[in-house]
Amino acid sequence: MFKNAVQLFEIFGFKLRVDPSWLLIAALIVWSLSTSYFPEMLPAQTATFYTTLGIVAMLGMFVSLVLHELAHSVVARAYGLEIGGITLFIFGGVAELEEEPHTPKSEFQIAIAGPLMSLALAGLFYLASGPFIDGDNIGAIGAVLGYLALINLVLAVFNLVPAFPLDGGRVFRAAIWQLTGDMVRATRISSRIGTFFGLFLMVTGAFAVFGGQGIGGVWQILIGFFVINASSGSYQNLLIKNSLRGKSARMLMSDLLWTVDADATIAQLVDDVMLRRGVSFVPVLSQGRLFGYVDAAGVRSIDRAEWPIRRVAEVAIPAGSDNTVTPDTPLDEVFKRLGAGTRRKLMVANADKLIGVISLSDVVHYLALQQEIGTTMKTGH
């Protein structure tokens, strides 16, 4: 999901990563606090002083977000769910669940854990700020702790909005799931509410921009856009997982194979296989065993004049776990691997015996057909 995220460290076995987009929001927080919040709370101080407090407060918010997502992750792990890691990005943080919760109860408890953690942090920071506040006299420590109490309260309240995929939307989905016994239906309903909430944010953000609020309105529009995309994307991902569940690569692989021997020349590969058969991805065999594959990019890496004397083995990419699956590999895992990188085809093999090839287009076509049939059945046509 976050291909450019950088891992910082592990905490309780969870990998903590930061997407480069987080740097933008971190810089905006420091700028906003050092030019507005802290000068108002603590007048007549230097710019360096305000900037220092802004950095400290930003780091406090960073820790708060990590603890919020860590609460989700710990509860999810208690229910046996795999967590890909915790990633902070421009719109906050996310605990990357590898699979959906199995029951409404687990969904509810995983979702509510984050807001409860934020509420607890808000209370702790508020209590901790007390000794540093004397009437209207607010010390530097009191100002920082007060900000952290406020931001954690805002984080908790915003996440409790019943709009999927916010935590409140997941709590709402758990309630519908419990009532109907249908997770897909519950997700569809909560996803629609998420879409409406995103539209609301965008419309009100646009009014704010026209009303002269500038960056605040733009930020609201961006958050609304993110909520809409995340909401619809989560629902589509669930439909895909349901369509692929229980199926393996064997079901969609093509066993109509055009192969080439590793000892053949590149000229033979191009003339006898690629051009004659109209293919650009060719599995390579050596003594009947799977050796790897060669594609058009590999061929182009060799000067044309050398094609008659250079061997296919020289440009073949060896078979490995990154480009080969077994026929029993779950179809959802195949789809994930095909969609994660630039490779659009995988070889299917038992040990070192090639038995087929499966492509992203095969899976996408199957999903489109599933959706078309499902729509037709629902409309009664």
Side-chain angles (χ1 to χ4, degrees):
M1 182 179 181
F2 301 98
K3 296 180 180 179
N4 297 319
V6 177
Q7 182 176 332
L8 297 183
F9 52 83
E10 287 193 18
I11 179 170
F12 299 138
F14 301 110
K15 295 178 180 179
L16 177 64
R17 294 184 287 265
V18 174
D19 187 77
S21 62
W22 164 255
L23 298 178
L24 175 60
I25 187 61
L28 286 174
I29 290 171
V30 173
W31 173 78
S32 176
L33 292 176
S34 61
T35 59
S36 178
Y37 179 80
F38 287 125
E40 183 178 336
M41 294 289 102
L42 304 164
Q45 302 293 331
T46 65
T48 302
F49 179 77
Y50 294 138
T51 301
T52 301
L53 291 186
I55 293 172
V56 172
M58 180 274 293
L59 292 175
M61 181 181 177
F62 174 90
V63 172
S64 297
L65 283 172
V66 170
L67 290 174
H68 178 106
E69 299 304 331
L70 190 60
H72 290 307
S73 302
V74 169
V75 177
R77 186 164 62 184
Y79 277 102
L81 301 181
E82 291 292 328
I83 305 295
I86 297 172
T87 303
L88 301 186
F89 66 114
I90 190 169
F91 294 115
V94 60
E96 300 176 53
L97 272 69
E98 296 291 332
E99 56 183 316
E100 293 286 351
H102 301 151
T103 64
K105 179 182 177 181
S106 61
E107 168 80 319
F108 172 80
Q109 293 190 358
I110 293 169
I112 201 65
L116 289 179
M117 172 60 77
S118 294
L119 285 173
L121 289 173
L124 288 173
F125 283 125
Y126 177 77
L127 292 174
S129 68
F132 302 98
I133 299 176
D134 182 16
D136 294 333
N137 184 23
I138 301 176
I141 296 177
V144 171
L145 293 174
Y147 167 77
L148 292 176
L150 175 63
I151 202 65
N152 274 282
L153 180 61
V154 170
L155 183 63
V157 172
F158 179 78
N159 272 281
L160 284 173
V161 173
F164 196 80
L166 298 178
D167 297 335
R170 291 187 175 275
V171 169
F172 184 63
R173 181 175 76 161
I176 301 175
W177 185 4
Q178 180 67 37
L179 290 173
T180 65
D182 188 339
M183 183 185 186
V184 175
R185 181 182 178 188
T187 305
R188 183 173 64 249
I189 294 172
S190 54
S191 177
R192 287 175 179 171
I193 294 176
T195 299
F196 289 138
F197 179 64
L199 288 172
F200 170 77
L201 288 177
M202 293 181 71
V203 171
T204 54
F207 278 116
V209 170
F210 293 133
Q213 295 186 28
I215 192 170
V218 172
W219 189 246
Q220 194 169 321
I221 293 173
L222 291 175
I223 293 176
F225 183 74
F226 166 75
V227 169
I228 291 174
N229 279 301
S231 178
S232 60
S234 297
Y235 178 53
Q236 291 301 319
N237 285 338
L238 179 62
L239 293 180
I240 289 172
K241 288 180 180 178
N242 278 357
S243 295
L244 301 181
R245 182 176 292 121
K247 301 175 178 65
S248 65
R250 189 191 307 275
M251 177 182 176
L252 294 185
M253 72 178 188
S254 172
D255 54 9
L256 180 61
L257 301 173
W258 308 113
T259 62
V260 66
D261 192 270
D263 290 330
T265 65
I266 296 176
Q268 290 174 318
L269 164 69
V270 173
D271 295 335
D272 298 341
V273 183
M274 287 185 163
L275 293 181
R276 179 174 295 181
R277 304 301 180 184
V279 294
S280 60
F281 178 95
V282 183
V284 180
L285 303 181
S286 178
Q287 298 181 347
R289 299 177 181 276
L290 179 62
F291 180 85
Y293 75 91
V294 65
D295 55 19
V299 170
R300 287 196 299 269
S301 68
I302 303 298
D303 187 272
R304 184 182 293 268
E306 298 183 27
W307 288 2
I309 59 174
R310 301 287 290 272
R311 301 294 172 182
V312 169
E314 298 179 54
V315 295
I317 297 175
S321 59
D322 61 330
N323 54 42
T324 308
V325 296
T326 70
D328 296 322
T329 300
L331 209 48
D332 57 348
E333 181 180 334
V334 171
F335 183 67
K336 183 189 299 184
R337 290 174 60 178
L338 287 170
T342 58
R343 185 175 288 108
R344 292 297 177 260
K345 290 187 178 181
L346 295 173
M347 295 176 291
V348 184
N350 259 332
D352 54 2
K353 180 178 175 56
L354 177 70
I355 60 174
V357 170
I358 188 168
S359 69
L360 181 62
S361 60
D362 294 331
V363 183
V364 170
H365 178 72
Y366 171 76
L367 290 171
L369 186 60
Q370 283 278 90
Q371 185 174 11
E372 182 178 345
I373 293 174
T375 302
T376 302
M377 292 176 63
K378 288 178 183 177
T379 57
H381 294 168

